[in-house]
Amino acid sequence: SAEKRWMAGILAGRAEAEYRYDYAQAASYLQQADRHAAENSLEKMTARWWLADALARAGKFEQSDVLYESILSTWEDSHPASHIVRRTKAILKQRKKK
């Protein structure tokens, strides 16, 4: 099912990022998770968050910032107090200082 494929993509992506430090492979798994999540769902927000994180860790800041911006444009109004939205704002604010 799409739900199980989403879960598998998140789990595999996080494992690649945290245990193997293979951010390119992590991003691949997380992109799969993103494709299996319903539009505007919390699952989509979570997949985008971890994908942006993997891309940033790989040094692909422009790509990660596009995803961070999409998180804010999609979920900032509906989930302003969520950890993902708050951290996304902080990350983008930090990047703009540089």
Side-chain angles (χ1 to χ4, degrees):
S1 69
E3 182 180 284
K4 286 183 181 178
R5 288 175 188 248
W6 173 82
M7 286 188 279
I10 294 293
L11 180 61
R14 297 298 300 133
E16 286 290 335
E18 293 301 318
Y19 299 109
R20 299 187 76 200
Y21 308 105
D22 186 343
Y23 304 116
Q25 186 62 50
S28 177
Y29 285 126
L30 293 161
Q31 286 169 337
Q32 292 174 42
D34 184 64
R35 285 193 298 273
H36 291 290
E39 287 301 315
N40 300 324
S41 66
L42 293 177
E43 291 82 5
K44 178 74 82 173
M45 180 173 66
T46 303
R48 294 255 167 106
W49 165 259
W50 288 120
L51 177 55
D53 179 71
L55 291 169
R57 288 180 180 209
K60 297 180 179 181
F61 298 109
E62 288 182 24
Q63 290 176 313
S64 69
D65 286 355
V66 168
L67 289 170
Y68 287 133
E69 293 289 349
S70 78
I71 289 169
L72 291 183
S73 67
T74 306
W75 291 282
E76 184 176 21
D77 291 340
S78 60
H79 297 84
S82 77
H83 176 76
I84 289 175
V85 169
R86 290 189 333 238
R87 288 291 304 134
T88 297
K89 284 182 181 180
I91 288 167
L92 289 174
K93 183 178 179 181
Q94 176 97 14
R95 292 244 177 88
K96 290 178 182 177
K97 286 182 179 180
K98 294 181 179 182

Coordinates of all heavy atoms in Angstrom, one line a residue:
S1 N 0.8 -1.2 0.0 CA 0.0 0.0 0.0 C 0.9 1.3 0.0 O 2.1 1.2 0.4 CB -0.9 0.0 1.2 OG -0.1 0.2 2.4
A2 N 0.3 2.4 -0.4 CA 1.0 3.6 -0.4 C 1.5 4.0 1.0 O 2.7 4.5 1.1 CB 0.2 4.7 -1.0
E3 N 0.7 3.7 2.0 CA 1.1 4.0 3.4 C 2.4 3.2 3.8 O 3.3 3.8 4.4 CB 0.0 3.7 4.3 CG 0.3 4.0 5.8 CD -0.8 3.7 6.7 OE1 -1.8 4.5 6.7 OE2 -0.8 2.7 7.4
K4 N 2.4 2.0 3.4 CA 3.6 1.2 3.8 C 4.8 1.6 3.0 O 5.9 1.6 3.5 CB 3.3 -0.3 3.6 CG 2.4 -0.9 4.7 CD 2.1 -2.3 4.5 CE 1.2 -2.8 5.6 NZ 0.9 -4.2 5.5
R5 N 4.6 1.9 1.7 CA 5.7 2.4 0.9 C 6.3 3.7 1.4 O 7.5 4.0 1.4 CB 5.3 2.5 -0.6 CG 5.1 1.2 -1.2 CD 4.6 1.4 -2.6 NE 4.2 0.1 -3.2 CZ 4.8 -0.5 -4.2 NH1 5.9 0.1 -4.7 NH2 4.4 -1.7 -4.6
W6 N 5.4 4.6 1.9 CA 5.8 5.8 2.5 C 6.7 5.5 3.8 O 7.8 6.1 3.9 CB 4.6 6.7 2.9 CG 5.0 7.9 3.7 CD1 5.5 9.1 3.2 CD2 5.1 8.0 5.2 NE1 5.8 9.9 4.3 CE2 5.6 9.3 5.5 CE3 4.7 7.2 6.2 CZ2 5.7 9.8 6.8 CZ3 4.9 7.6 7.5 CH2 5.4 8.9 7.8
M7 N 6.2 4.6 4.6 CA 6.9 4.3 5.9 C 8.3 3.7 5.5 O 9.3 4.0 6.2 CB 6.1 3.3 6.7 CG 4.9 4.0 7.4 SD 4.1 2.8 8.6 CE 3.1 1.9 7.5
A8 N 8.3 2.8 4.5 CA 9.5 2.1 4.1 C 10.5 3.2 3.6 O 11.7 3.1 3.9 CB 9.3 1.1 3.1
G9 N 10.1 4.1 2.8 CA 10.9 5.2 2.3 C 11.5 6.1 3.4 O 12.7 6.4 3.4
I10 N 10.7 6.4 4.4 CA 11.2 7.2 5.5 C 12.2 6.4 6.3 O 13.3 6.9 6.6 CB 10.0 7.7 6.4 CG1 9.1 8.6 5.7 CG2 10.5 8.3 7.7 CD1 9.6 10.0 5.4
L11 N 11.9 5.2 6.6 CA 12.8 4.4 7.4 C 14.1 4.2 6.7 O 15.2 4.4 7.3 CB 12.1 3.0 7.8 CG 13.0 2.1 8.6 CD1 13.3 2.7 9.9 CD2 12.3 0.8 8.8
A12 N 14.1 3.8 5.5 CA 15.3 3.6 4.7 C 16.1 4.9 4.6 O 17.3 4.9 4.7 CB 15.0 3.0 3.3
G13 N 15.4 6.0 4.3 CA 16.1 7.2 4.1 C 16.8 7.7 5.4 O 18.0 8.1 5.4
R14 N 16.1 7.5 6.5 CA 16.7 7.9 7.8 C 17.9 7.0 8.1 O 18.9 7.5 8.7 CB 15.6 7.9 8.9 CG 14.5 8.9 8.7 CD 15.0 10.4 8.6 NE 15.6 10.7 9.9 CZ 16.8 11.3 10.1 NH1 17.4 11.7 9.0 NH2 17.3 11.5 11.3
A15 N 17.7 5.7 7.9 CA 18.8 4.8 8.2 C 20.1 5.1 7.3 O 21.2 5.2 7.9 CB 18.4 3.4 7.9
E16 N 19.9 5.4 6.1 CA 21.0 5.8 5.2 C 21.7 7.1 5.7 O 22.9 7.2 5.7 CB 20.6 6.0 3.8 CG 20.2 4.7 3.0 CD 21.5 3.9 2.7 OE1 22.6 4.4 2.6 OE2 21.3 2.7 2.6
A17 N 20.9 8.0 6.1 CA 21.4 9.3 6.6 C 22.1 9.2 7.9 O 23.3 9.7 8.1 CB 20.3 10.4 6.7
E18 N 21.5 8.5 8.9 CA 22.1 8.5 10.2 C 23.1 7.4 10.5 O 24.0 7.6 11.3 CB 20.9 8.3 11.2 CG 20.0 9.5 11.3 CD 20.7 10.8 11.6 OE1 21.5 10.8 12.5 OE2 20.4 11.8 11.0
Y19 N 23.1 6.3 9.7 CA 24.0 5.2 10.0 C 25.0 5.0 9.0 O 26.1 4.5 9.3 CB 23.2 3.9 10.3 CG 22.3 4.0 11.5 CD1 20.9 4.1 11.3 CD2 22.8 4.2 12.8 CE1 20.1 4.2 12.4 CE2 22.0 4.3 13.9 CZ 20.6 4.3 13.7 OH 19.8 4.5 14.8
R20 N 24.7 5.4 7.7 CA 25.7 5.2 6.6 C 26.3 6.5 6.1 O 27.2 6.5 5.3 CB 25.1 4.4 5.5 CG 24.6 3.0 6.0 CD 24.2 2.1 4.9 NE 25.3 1.6 4.2 CZ 25.3 1.2 3.0 NH1 24.2 1.1 2.3 NH2 26.4 0.8 2.4
Y21 N 25.6 7.6 6.5 CA 26.0 8.9 6.1 C 26.0 9.0 4.5 O 26.8 9.8 4.0 CB 27.4 9.3 6.6 CG 27.4 9.2 8.1 CD1 28.1 8.1 8.7 CD2 26.7 10.0 9.0 CE1 28.1 7.9 10.1 CE2 26.7 9.9 10.3 CZ 27.4 8.8 10.9 OH 27.4 8.7 12.3
D22 N 25.1 8.3 3.9 CA 25.0 8.3 2.4 C 23.8 9.2 2.1 O 22.7 8.7 2.0 CB 24.8 6.9 1.9 CG 24.8 6.8 0.4 OD1 24.6 7.9 -0.2 OD2 25.0 5.7 -0.2
Y23 N 24.0 10.5 2.0 CA 22.9 11.4 1.9 C 22.3 11.3 0.5 O 21.1 11.6 0.4 CB 23.4 12.8 2.2 CG 23.9 12.9 3.6 CD1 25.3 13.2 3.8 CD2 23.2 12.5 4.7 CE1 25.8 13.2 5.1 CE2 23.7 12.5 6.0 CZ 25.0 12.9 6.2 OH 25.6 12.9 7.5
A24 N 23.0 11.0 -0.5 CA 22.4 10.8 -1.8 C 21.4 9.7 -1.9 O 20.3 9.8 -2.4 CB 23.5 10.6 -2.9
Q25 N 21.8 8.5 -1.3 CA 20.9 7.4 -1.2 C 19.7 7.7 -0.3 O 18.6 7.3 -0.6 CB 21.6 6.1 -0.7 CG 20.8 4.9 -0.8 CD 20.3 4.5 -2.2 OE1 21.1 4.5 -3.1 NE2 19.1 4.3 -2.4
A26 N 20.0 8.4 0.8 CA 18.9 8.8 1.7 C 17.9 9.6 0.9 O 16.7 9.4 1.0 CB 19.5 9.6 2.9
A27 N 18.4 10.6 0.1 CA 17.5 11.5 -0.6 C 16.7 10.7 -1.6 O 15.5 10.9 -1.8 CB 18.3 12.5 -1.4
S28 N 17.3 9.6 -2.2 CA 16.5 8.8 -3.1 C 15.3 8.1 -2.4 O 14.2 8.1 -2.9 CB 17.5 7.8 -3.8 OG 16.7 6.9 -4.6
Y29 N 15.6 7.5 -1.3 CA 14.5 6.8 -0.5 C 13.5 7.8 -0.1 O 12.3 7.6 -0.1 CB 15.1 6.1 0.7 CG 15.8 4.8 0.4 CD1 17.1 4.6 0.8 CD2 15.2 3.8 -0.3 CE1 17.8 3.5 0.5 CE2 15.9 2.6 -0.6 CZ 17.2 2.5 -0.2 OH 17.8 1.3 -0.4
L30 N 13.9 9.0 0.3 CA 13.0 10.0 0.8 C 12.1 10.6 -0.3 O 11.0 10.9 -0.1 CB 13.7 11.1 1.6 CG 14.3 10.5 2.9 CD1 15.4 11.5 3.4 CD2 13.3 10.3 4.0
Q31 N 12.7 10.7 -1.5 CA 11.9 11.1 -2.6 C 10.8 10.1 -2.9 O 9.7 10.4 -3.3 CB 12.8 11.3 -3.9 CG 13.6 12.5 -3.8 CD 14.7 12.6 -4.9 OE1 15.1 11.5 -5.4 NE2 15.1 13.8 -5.2
Q32 N 11.1 8.8 -2.8 CA 10.1 7.8 -2.9 C 9.0 7.9 -1.9 O 7.8 7.8 -2.2 CB 10.7 6.4 -2.8 CG 11.7 6.0 -3.9 CD 12.4 4.7 -3.7 OE1 11.8 3.7 -3.3 NE2 13.7 4.7 -4.0
A33 N 9.4 8.2 -0.7 CA 8.4 8.4 0.4 C 7.5 9.6 0.0 O 6.3 9.5 0.2 CB 9.1 8.6 1.7
D34 N 8.1 10.7 -0.4 CA 7.4 11.9 -0.8 C 6.3 11.5 -1.9 O 5.2 12.0 -1.9 CB 8.3 12.9 -1.3 CG 7.6 14.2 -1.6 OD1 7.1 14.8 -0.7 OD2 7.7 14.6 -2.8
R35 N 6.7 10.7 -2.9 CA 5.8 10.4 -4.0 C 4.6 9.5 -3.5 O 3.5 9.6 -4.0 CB 6.5 9.6 -5.1 CG 7.4 10.4 -5.9 CD 7.8 9.7 -7.2 NE 8.6 8.5 -6.9 CZ 10.0 8.5 -6.7 NH1 10.6 9.6 -6.8 NH2 10.6 7.4 -6.5
H36 N 4.8 8.8 -2.4 CA 3.7 7.9 -1.9 C 2.8 8.6 -0.8 O 1.8 8.0 -0.4 CB 4.3 6.6 -1.3 CG 4.8 5.8 -2.3 ND1 4.1 5.1 -3.3 CD2 6.1 5.5 -2.7 CE1 4.8 4.4 -4.1 NE2 6.1 4.6 -3.7
A37 N 3.1 9.8 -0.5 CA 2.3 10.6 0.5 C 1.2 11.4 -0.2 O 1.5 11.9 -1.3 CB 3.2 11.5 1.3
A38 N 0.1 11.5 0.4 CA -1.0 12.2 -0.1 C -0.6 13.7 0.0 O 0.0 14.2 0.9 CB -2.3 12.0 0.7
E39 N -1.1 14.5 -1.0 CA -0.8 15.9 -1.1 C -1.4 16.6 0.2 O -2.4 16.3 0.7 CB -1.5 16.6 -2.3 CG -0.8 16.2 -3.6 CD 0.6 16.7 -3.6 OE1 0.9 17.8 -3.2 OE2 1.5 15.9 -4.1
N40 N -0.6 17.5 0.7 CA -0.9 18.4 1.9 C -1.1 17.6 3.2 O -1.6 18.1 4.1 CB -2.1 19.2 1.6 CG -1.9 20.2 0.4 OD1 -0.8 20.7 0.2 ND2 -2.9 20.4 -0.4
S41 N -0.6 16.3 3.2 CA -0.7 15.5 4.4 C 0.5 15.7 5.3 O 1.5 16.2 4.9 CB -0.8 14.0 4.0 OG 0.4 13.6 3.4
L42 N 0.3 15.3 6.5 CA 1.4 15.3 7.5 C 2.6 14.4 7.0 O 3.7 14.7 7.2 CB 1.0 15.0 8.9 CG 0.1 16.0 9.5 CD1 -0.4 15.5 10.9 CD2 0.7 17.3 9.7
E43 N 2.2 13.3 6.3 CA 3.2 12.4 5.8 C 4.0 13.1 4.7 O 5.3 12.9 4.7 CB 2.5 11.2 5.2 CG 1.9 10.2 6.2 CD 0.5 10.7 6.7 OE1 0.0 11.6 6.2 OE2 0.0 10.0 7.6
K44 N 3.4 13.9 3.9 CA 4.1 14.7 2.8 C 5.0 15.7 3.5 O 6.2 15.8 3.1 CB 3.1 15.4 1.9 CG 3.7 16.2 0.8 CD 4.3 15.4 -0.3 CE 3.3 15.0 -1.3 NZ 3.9 14.4 -2.5
M45 N 4.5 16.4 4.5 CA 5.4 17.4 5.2 C 6.6 16.7 5.8 O 7.7 17.2 5.7 CB 4.6 18.1 6.3 CG 5.4 19.1 7.1 SD 4.4 20.1 8.2 CE 3.9 18.9 9.5
T46 N 6.4 15.5 6.4 CA 7.5 14.8 7.1 C 8.5 14.3 6.0 O 9.7 14.5 6.2 CB 7.0 13.6 7.8 OG1 6.0 14.0 8.8 CG2 8.1 12.8 8.5
A47 N 8.0 13.8 4.9 CA 9.0 13.4 3.8 C 9.8 14.5 3.3 O 11.0 14.4 3.1 CB 8.2 12.7 2.7
R48 N 9.1 15.7 3.1 CA 9.8 16.8 2.6 C 10.9 17.3 3.5 O 11.9 17.8 3.2 CB 8.8 18.0 2.3 CG 7.9 17.6 1.1 CD 8.2 18.4 -0.1 NE 7.5 17.8 -1.3 CZ 6.5 18.4 -1.9 NH1 6.1 19.5 -1.4 NH2 6.0 17.8 -2.9
W49 N 10.5 17.3 4.8 CA 11.4 17.7 5.9 C 12.7 16.9 5.9 O 13.8 17.4 5.8 CB 10.7 17.7 7.2 CG 11.7 17.8 8.4 CD1 12.1 16.7 9.1 CD2 12.3 18.9 8.9 NE1 13.0 17.2 10.1 CE2 13.1 18.5 10.0 CE3 12.3 20.3 8.6 CZ2 13.9 19.4 10.7 CZ3 13.0 21.2 9.3 CH2 13.8 20.7 10.4
W50 N 12.5 15.6 5.9 CA 13.7 14.7 5.9 C 14.5 14.8 4.6 O 15.7 14.7 4.6 CB 13.4 13.3 6.3 CG 13.0 13.2 7.8 CD1 11.8 12.8 8.3 CD2 13.8 13.5 8.9 NE1 11.9 12.9 9.7 CE2 13.1 13.3 10.0 CE3 15.1 14.0 9.0 CZ2 13.6 13.5 11.3 CZ3 15.7 14.2 10.3 CH2 14.9 14.0 11.4
L51 N 13.8 14.9 3.5 CA 14.5 15.1 2.2 C 15.3 16.4 2.2 O 16.4 16.4 1.7 CB 13.4 15.1 1.1 CG 14.0 15.3 -0.4 CD1 15.1 14.3 -0.7 CD2 12.8 15.2 -1.4
A52 N 14.7 17.5 2.6 CA 15.5 18.7 2.7 C 16.7 18.6 3.6 O 17.8 19.1 3.3 CB 14.6 19.8 3.2
D53 N 16.5 17.9 4.7 CA 17.7 17.7 5.6 C 18.8 16.9 4.9 O 20.0 17.2 5.0 CB 17.2 16.9 6.9 CG 18.3 16.6 7.8 OD1 18.8 17.6 8.5 OD2 18.7 15.5 8.0
A54 N 18.4 15.8 4.2 CA 19.4 15.0 3.5 C 20.1 15.8 2.4 O 21.4 15.7 2.3 CB 18.8 13.7 2.9
L55 N 19.4 16.6 1.7 CA 20.0 17.4 0.7 C 21.0 18.5 1.3 O 22.0 18.7 0.7 CB 18.9 18.1 -0.2 CG 18.1 17.2 -1.1 CD1 16.9 17.9 -1.6 CD2 19.0 16.6 -2.2
A56 N 20.5 19.1 2.4 CA 21.4 20.0 3.0 C 22.7 19.4 3.5 O 23.8 19.9 3.4 CB 20.7 20.7 4.2
R57 N 22.6 18.2 4.1 CA 23.8 17.5 4.6 C 24.7 17.1 3.4 O 25.9 17.0 3.6 CB 23.4 16.2 5.4 CG 22.7 16.6 6.7 CD 22.4 15.3 7.4 NE 21.8 15.5 8.7 CZ 21.8 14.7 9.7 NH1 22.5 13.5 9.6 NH2 21.2 14.9 10.8
A58 N 24.1 16.9 2.2 CA 24.9 16.6 1.1 C 25.5 17.9 0.4 O 26.2 17.8 -0.6 CB 24.1 15.9 0.0
G59 N 25.2 19.1 1.0 CA 25.7 20.3 0.5 C 24.8 20.9 -0.6 O 25.2 21.9 -1.2
K60 N 23.7 20.4 -0.8 CA 22.8 20.9 -1.9 C 21.8 21.9 -1.3 O 20.6 21.6 -1.2 CB 22.1 19.7 -2.6 CG 23.1 18.8 -3.3 CD 22.4 17.6 -3.9 CE 23.4 16.8 -4.6 NZ 22.8 15.6 -5.3
F61 N 22.3 23.0 -0.9 CA 21.5 24.0 -0.1 C 20.4 24.6 -0.9 O 19.3 24.9 -0.4 CB 22.4 25.0 0.5 CG 23.3 24.4 1.5 CD1 24.7 24.4 1.2 CD2 22.9 23.9 2.7 CE1 25.6 23.8 2.1 CE2 23.8 23.4 3.6 CZ 25.1 23.3 3.3
E62 N 20.6 24.9 -2.2 CA 19.6 25.5 -3.0 C 18.4 24.5 -3.1 O 17.2 25.0 -3.0 CB 20.1 25.8 -4.4 CG 21.0 27.0 -4.4 CD 21.5 27.4 -5.8 OE1 20.9 27.0 -6.8 OE2 22.6 28.0 -5.9
Q63 N 18.6 23.2 -3.4 CA 17.6 22.3 -3.5 C 16.8 22.1 -2.1 O 15.6 22.0 -2.1 CB 18.1 20.9 -3.9 CG 18.5 20.9 -5.4 CD 19.1 19.5 -5.7 OE1 19.9 19.0 -5.0 NE2 18.7 19.0 -6.9
S64 N 17.6 22.1 -1.0 CA 17.0 21.9 0.3 C 16.1 23.2 0.6 O 15.0 23.0 1.1 CB 18.0 21.7 1.4 OG 18.8 22.8 1.6
D65 N 16.6 24.3 0.2 CA 15.8 25.6 0.5 C 14.5 25.6 -0.2 O 13.5 26.1 0.3 CB 16.7 26.8 0.3 CG 17.7 27.0 1.3 OD1 17.8 26.3 2.3 OD2 18.6 28.0 1.1
V66 N 14.5 25.1 -1.4 CA 13.2 25.0 -2.2 C 12.2 24.2 -1.4 O 11.1 24.5 -1.3 CB 13.5 24.5 -3.6 CG1 12.2 24.1 -4.3 CG2 14.3 25.5 -4.5
L67 N 12.7 23.0 -0.9 CA 11.8 22.2 -0.1 C 11.4 22.8 1.2 O 10.2 22.8 1.5 CB 12.5 20.8 0.2 CG 12.6 19.9 -1.0 CD1 13.5 18.7 -0.7 CD2 11.3 19.5 -1.5
Y68 N 12.3 23.5 1.9 CA 11.9 24.2 3.1 C 10.9 25.3 2.8 O 9.9 25.4 3.5 CB 13.1 24.8 3.8 CG 14.1 23.8 4.4 CD1 15.4 23.9 4.2 CD2 13.6 22.9 5.3 CE1 16.3 23.0 4.9 CE2 14.4 22.0 5.9 CZ 15.8 22.1 5.7 OH 16.7 21.2 6.3
E69 N 11.1 26.0 1.7 CA 10.1 27.0 1.3 C 8.7 26.4 1.0 O 7.7 26.9 1.4 CB 10.6 27.8 0.1 CG 11.8 28.7 0.4 CD 11.5 29.9 1.3 OE1 10.3 30.2 1.5 OE2 12.5 30.5 1.7
S70 N 8.7 25.2 0.4 CA 7.5 24.6 0.1 C 6.8 24.1 1.4 O 5.5 24.1 1.4 CB 7.7 23.4 -0.9 OG 8.2 22.2 -0.2
I71 N 7.5 23.7 2.4 CA 6.9 23.3 3.6 C 6.2 24.5 4.2 O 5.1 24.4 4.7 CB 8.0 22.8 4.6 CG1 8.5 21.4 4.2 CG2 7.5 22.8 6.0 CD1 9.7 20.9 4.9
L72 N 6.9 25.7 4.2 CA 6.2 26.9 4.8 C 5.0 27.3 4.0 O 4.0 27.6 4.6 CB 7.2 28.0 4.9 CG 8.4 27.9 5.9 CD1 9.2 29.1 5.9 CD2 7.8 27.6 7.3
S73 N 5.1 27.3 2.7 CA 4.0 27.8 1.9 C 2.8 26.8 2.0 O 1.6 27.3 1.9 CB 4.4 27.9 0.4 OG 4.7 26.7 -0.2
T74 N 3.0 25.6 2.3 CA 1.9 24.6 2.3 C 1.4 24.4 3.8 O 0.2 24.3 3.9 CB 2.4 23.2 1.8 OG1 2.9 23.4 0.5 CG2 1.2 22.2 1.8
W75 N 2.2 24.4 4.8 CA 1.8 24.0 6.1 C 1.9 25.1 7.2 O 1.5 24.9 8.3 CB 2.5 22.7 6.6 CG 2.1 21.5 5.8 CD1 1.0 20.8 5.9 CD2 2.8 20.9 4.7 NE1 1.0 19.8 5.0 CE2 2.1 19.8 4.2 CE3 4.1 21.2 4.1 CZ2 2.5 19.0 3.2 CZ3 4.5 20.4 3.0 CH2 3.7 19.3 2.6
E76 N 2.5 26.2 6.9 CA 2.7 27.2 7.9 C 1.4 27.7 8.5 O 1.3 27.9 9.7 CB 3.5 28.4 7.4 CG 3.8 29.4 8.4 CD 4.7 30.6 7.9 OE1 4.8 30.8 6.7 OE2 5.3 31.2 8.7
D77 N 0.4 27.9 7.7 CA -0.9 28.4 8.2 C -1.7 27.3 8.9 O -2.3 27.6 10.0 CB -1.7 29.0 7.0 CG -1.2 30.2 6.4 OD1 -0.4 30.9 7.1 OD2 -1.5 30.5 5.3
S78 N -1.6 26.1 8.5 CA -2.4 25.0 9.1 C -1.7 24.4 10.3 O -2.4 23.8 11.1 CB -2.8 24.0 8.0 OG -1.6 23.4 7.5
H79 N -0.4 24.4 10.3 CA 0.3 23.8 11.4 C 1.5 24.7 12.0 O 2.6 24.3 12.0 CB 1.0 22.5 11.0 CG -0.1 21.5 10.6 ND1 -0.6 21.4 9.3 CD2 -0.6 20.5 11.3 CE1 -1.5 20.4 9.3 NE2 -1.5 19.8 10.4
P80 N 1.1 25.9 12.4 CA 2.2 26.9 12.7 C 3.0 26.5 14.0 O 4.2 26.9 14.1 CB 1.4 28.2 13.0 CG 0.0 27.7 13.4 CD -0.2 26.5 12.6
A81 N 2.5 25.7 14.8 CA 3.2 25.3 16.0 C 4.0 24.0 15.9 O 4.6 23.5 16.8 CB 2.3 25.2 17.2
S82 N 3.9 23.3 14.7 CA 4.5 22.0 14.6 C 6.1 22.2 14.6 O 6.6 23.3 14.2 CB 4.1 21.4 13.3 OG 4.8 21.9 12.2
H83 N 6.7 21.2 15.1 CA 8.2 21.2 15.1 C 8.8 21.5 13.7 O 9.7 22.3 13.6 CB 8.7 19.9 15.7 CG 10.2 19.8 15.7 ND1 11.0 20.5 16.7 CD2 11.1 19.2 14.9 CE1 12.3 20.3 16.4 NE2 12.3 19.4 15.4
I84 N 8.3 20.8 12.8 CA 8.8 20.9 11.4 C 8.7 22.4 10.9 O 9.7 22.9 10.3 CB 8.2 19.9 10.4 CG1 8.6 18.5 10.8 CG2 8.4 20.3 9.0 CD1 7.9 17.4 10.0
V85 N 7.6 23.0 11.1 CA 7.4 24.4 10.6 C 8.3 25.3 11.4 O 9.0 26.2 10.8 CB 5.9 24.8 10.7 CG1 5.7 26.3 10.5 CG2 5.1 24.0 9.7
R86 N 8.4 25.2 12.7 CA 9.2 26.0 13.5 C 10.7 25.9 13.1 O 11.4 26.9 13.0 CB 9.0 25.8 15.0 CG 7.6 26.3 15.4 CD 7.5 26.2 17.0 NE 8.3 25.2 17.6 CZ 7.9 24.2 18.3 NH1 6.6 24.1 18.6 NH2 8.8 23.4 18.9
R87 N 11.2 24.6 13.0 CA 12.6 24.4 12.6 C 12.9 24.9 11.2 O 13.9 25.4 10.9 CB 12.9 22.9 12.7 CG 13.0 22.4 14.1 CD 14.2 23.0 14.9 NE 15.4 22.7 14.2 CZ 16.4 23.5 14.0 NH1 16.3 24.8 14.5 NH2 17.5 23.2 13.4
T88 N 11.9 24.7 10.3 CA 12.1 25.2 8.9 C 12.3 26.7 8.9 O 13.2 27.2 8.2 CB 10.9 24.8 8.1 OG1 10.8 23.4 8.0 CG2 11.0 25.4 6.7
K89 N 11.5 27.4 9.7 CA 11.7 28.9 9.7 C 13.0 29.2 10.3 O 13.7 30.2 9.8 CB 10.6 29.5 10.7 CG 9.2 29.6 10.1 CD 8.3 30.2 11.1 CE 6.9 30.4 10.6 NZ 6.0 31.0 11.6
A90 N 13.5 28.6 11.3 CA 14.8 28.8 11.9 C 15.9 28.6 11.0 O 16.9 29.3 10.9 CB 14.9 28.0 13.2
I91 N 15.8 27.5 10.2 CA 16.9 27.1 9.3 C 16.9 28.2 8.2 O 18.0 28.6 7.8 CB 16.6 25.7 8.7 CG1 16.9 24.6 9.8 CG2 17.5 25.5 7.5 CD1 16.4 23.3 9.4
L92 N 15.8 28.5 7.6 CA 15.8 29.5 6.5 C 16.3 30.9 7.0 O 17.0 31.6 6.3 CB 14.4 29.6 5.9 CG 14.0 28.4 5.1 CD1 12.6 28.6 4.6 CD2 15.0 28.3 3.9
K93 N 15.9 31.3 8.3 CA 16.4 32.5 8.8 C 17.9 32.5 9.0 O 18.6 33.5 8.7 CB 15.7 32.8 10.2 CG 16.0 34.1 10.8 CD 15.3 34.2 12.1 CE 15.6 35.5 12.8 NZ 14.9 35.7 14.1
Q94 N 18.4 31.4 9.5 CA 19.9 31.2 9.6 C 20.6 31.3 8.3 O 21.6 32.0 8.2 CB 20.2 29.9 10.3 CG 21.6 29.6 10.4 CD 22.1 29.9 11.8 OE1 21.4 30.1 12.7 NE2 23.4 30.0 12.0
R95 N 20.0 30.7 7.3 CA 20.7 30.7 6.0 C 20.7 32.1 5.4 O 21.6 32.5 4.7 CB 20.0 29.8 5.0 CG 20.1 28.3 5.4 CD 20.9 27.6 4.3 NE 21.1 26.2 4.8 CZ 20.2 25.2 4.6 NH1 19.1 25.4 3.9 NH2 20.5 24.0 5.1
K96 N 19.6 32.9 5.6 CA 19.6 34.2 5.0 C 20.6 35.2 5.7 O 20.9 36.2 5.1 CB 18.2 34.8 5.1 CG 17.2 34.0 4.2 CD 15.8 34.5 4.3 CE 14.9 33.7 3.4 NZ 13.5 34.0 3.5
K97 N 21.0 34.9 6.9 CA 22.0 35.7 7.6 C 23.4 35.6 6.9 O 24.2 36.4 7.0 CB 22.1 35.3 9.1 CG 21.0 35.7 9.9 CD 21.3 35.3 11.4 CE 20.1 35.7 12.3 NZ 20.4 35.3 13.7
K98 N 23.6 34.4 6.3 CA 24.9 34.2 5.7 C 25.1 34.8 4.4 O 24.5 35.2 3.7 CB 25.2 32.6 5.6 CG 25.2 32.0 6.9 CD 25.5 30.5 6.7 CE 25.6 29.8 8.1 NZ 25.8 28.4 8.0

